[in-house]
Amino acid sequence: MTRRKTRQIQVGTVKIGGDAPVSVQSMCSTDTRDANATIEEIRRLEEVGCELIRVAVPDQEAAAALPKIKAAMTVPLIADIHFDHRLALQAAKIVDCVRINPGNIGAWWKVEEVIKAVNDHGIPIRVGVNGGSLERHLLEKYGWPSPEALAESALNAVRSLEDVGFTNMKVSLKASDVHHAIDAYYLFAMQSNYPLHIGITEAGTAMTGAVKSAMGLGYLLSQGIGDTLRVSLAADPVEEVKVGYEILKSLELRHRGINVIACPTCGRVEIDVVRMANELEKKLGHIKTPLNVSVLGCVVNGIGEGKEADIGIAGGEGKGILFKKGKLVRKVPMEELMDTLIVEVEQLAKEKEAEGNGEPVAAVATDGWEPLIPRGDQPSTLGKEIPVLPHR
């Protein structure tokens, strides 16, 4: 997989774009004015590996809570600002990045004040474009929040910021429709090299949103597009982070924690694979070291099917086996099988950490990017002539 070469910015301690790994972020669901509740949720997000955390700043009371929240965090804090640019000016003194939407922040002089504030504090801006808040003239031009309208809004904002010498930014072009989001990101990526925050906005509930995000973000990432991501779910934000990492794991872009390989169950299975696999994910969620752990229900084929795993178990006919790298280690009584696996996985993780193994990251090309699929099979926007969108 060859990643699109983008500019690199830094949000607090996290590098985004260039040769940096794709980072996973989320947004607090708490009322930011309740600093204690927000901090509690942030700590849960940090525990599952969230690398950047955004909070809504709808008013002065929320802005006043930012110093306390920031002081309690170990990852960068992003302030989400809409409508009132004065909140961005206040937040810029505290946070690591400010998100604004050019469709609702107001007159250009207000944007210039935000630019001066973030420049004074050395932090970037996220230009966030959404289908639900496009500028009126673009809606009139295109008739609806089309991918072209999203891309033109983002490109116009970028060019306006460049006109006053500002380049410290990342960009998002989110839509709730998977096809529209893909096309909008493609249009922008063809005409700009700023790092992209990718996401399917308002994706839905935990299951529906995870599927839509996996399809949209997975496709973009497989084509080299995307430098940081958020999976937007109507669910606990901790689940957003978990799904984000699973998407990156499946593409072998990031490896964090255990990856459970479990058979889909069938009439031959004699152990409760579903319960055991879910229990493993829950009890081993604290492990950060990348490990493939296999849970298989067939003692005959278990070693063969689990040969790609670092460690695993297979069971059936009242007995179980423990294997590592496809080789039998020992037989284990069924009632001890799960506890044995948990102990062995924790020990293996400690051994790997002691070896100082770094986190595998996909190689980054230094000369641009190429899609992995034939030109004729690319998404709908690329089947048409790519419009070079005009200046403002």
Side-chain angles (χ1 to χ4, degrees):
M1 188 181 301
T2 303
R3 286 184 52 198
R4 165 179 168 261
K5 186 67 175 178
T6 59
R7 297 173 182 237
Q8 187 173 90
I9 66 169
Q10 188 146 338
V11 179
T13 56
V14 177
K15 293 180 180 180
I16 297 174
D19 59 355
V22 180
S23 54
V24 177
Q25 57 182 278
S26 184
M27 185 171 182
C28 285
S29 61
T30 54
D31 185 338
T32 309
R33 292 168 291 198
D34 186 343
N36 291 333
T38 302
I39 290 168
E40 182 180 345
E41 187 166 80
I42 285 171
R43 285 175 178 160
R44 292 198 302 117
L45 288 167
E46 290 174 335
E47 285 175 4
V48 293
C50 190
E51 294 166 304
L52 303 109
I53 298 175
R54 182 159 43 113
V55 296
V57 186
D59 55 30
Q60 287 293 333
E61 188 179 350
L66 292 176
K68 181 177 180 179
I69 293 169
K70 173 64 178 171
M73 298 176 64
T74 62
V75 301
L77 176 63
I78 302 170
D80 193 76
I81 310 292
H82 293 275
F83 308 114
D84 189 347
H85 81 290
R86 294 169 298 179
L87 298 173
L89 305 184
Q90 188 172 343
K93 303 173 185 177
I94 308 299
V95 301
D96 300 292
C97 179
V98 172
R99 182 272 175 108
I100 60 172
N101 187 325
N104 64 31
I105 201 65
W108 177 248
W109 67 265
K110 296 179 179 179
V111 178
E112 287 188 313
E113 286 198 1
V114 175
I115 293 169
K116 183 179 185 305
V118 297
N119 267 334
D120 287 347
H121 294 91
I123 64 173
I125 283 176
R126 172 185 154 201
V127 175
V129 175
N130 275 10
S133 54
L134 281 173
E135 297 94 325
R136 181 173 297 178
H137 75 276
L138 290 176
L139 289 174
E140 292 173 353
K141 176 179 179 179
Y142 291 101
W144 63 291
S146 66
E148 291 81 4
L150 287 166
E152 185 166 340
S153 176
L155 287 166
N156 283 344
V158 165
R159 290 163 180 163
S160 297
L161 293 171
E162 288 178 332
D163 285 348
V164 294
F166 187 80
T167 59
N168 189 15
M169 64 182 120
K170 55 179 175 161
V171 181
S172 66
L173 307 89
K174 293 187 178 181
S176 58
D177 183 282
V178 172
H179 295 288
H180 297 165
I182 288 173
D183 286 358
Y185 278 112
Y186 257 110
L187 276 170
F188 185 90
M190 287 291 189
Q191 299 175 69
S192 177
N193 67 346
Y194 285 98
L196 284 171
H197 167 123
I198 59 174
I200 307 298
T201 193
E202 301 155 357
T205 57
M207 186 187 74
T208 302
V211 172
K212 288 172 68 175
S213 296
M215 294 299 293
L217 306 190
Y219 193 88
L220 287 168
L221 290 165
S222 73
Q223 303 307 298
I225 295 176
D227 302 284
T228 183
L229 65 83
R230 180 198 174 188
V231 175
S232 299
L233 301 178
D236 186 335
V238 166
E239 297 305 311
E240 296 185 348
V241 178
K242 292 179 180 179
V243 174
Y245 273 111
E246 290 303 320
I247 291 171
L248 294 175
K249 283 181 188 178
S250 67
L251 294 169
E252 297 189 352
L253 284 168
R254 296 290 298 274
H255 296 273
R256 183 187 189 278
I258 66 164
N259 174 41
V260 176
I261 301 168
C263 61
T265 77
C266 67
R268 295 189 302 271
V269 171
E270 297 185 23
I271 63 172
D272 192 346
V273 172
V274 175
R275 178 189 62 79
M276 296 174 82
N278 281 293
E279 187 177 340
L280 268 181
E281 285 193 339
K282 183 177 181 180
K283 290 188 174 181
L284 297 177
H286 62 284
I287 291 178
K288 299 178 182 180
T289 305
L291 288 173
N292 289 319
V293 182
S294 182
V295 180
L296 300 166
C298 179
V299 73
V300 176
N301 295 326
I303 293 180
E305 292 175 353
K307 64 182 178 181
E308 300 301 323
D310 295 293
I311 187 170
I313 56 173
E317 299 180 355
K319 56 186 176 181
I321 57 171
L322 174 74
F323 55 87
K324 295 181 180 179
K325 292 295 184 182
K327 295 182 178 180
L328 175 65
V329 176
R330 66 178 183 272
K331 293 182 180 179
V332 181
M334 284 296 297
E335 63 273 15
E336 300 175 13
L337 197 54
M338 179 58 81
D339 289 341
T340 298
L341 180 59
I342 289 171
V343 170
E344 292 284 344
V345 170
E346 290 180 333
Q347 181 58 38
L348 185 58
K350 290 178 181 178
E351 291 172 2
K352 283 206 167 191
E353 289 172 7
E355 293 170 3
N357 288 344
E359 181 181 30
V361 177
V364 178
T366 57
D367 56 350
W369 63 283
E370 288 295 331
L372 299 178
I373 55 175
R375 284 277 174 190
D377 294 332
Q378 287 178 347
S380 57
T381 295
L382 295 187
K384 315 168 194 172
E385 181 180 352
I386 299 296
V388 177
L389 301 177
H391 275 269
R392 296 174 292 287

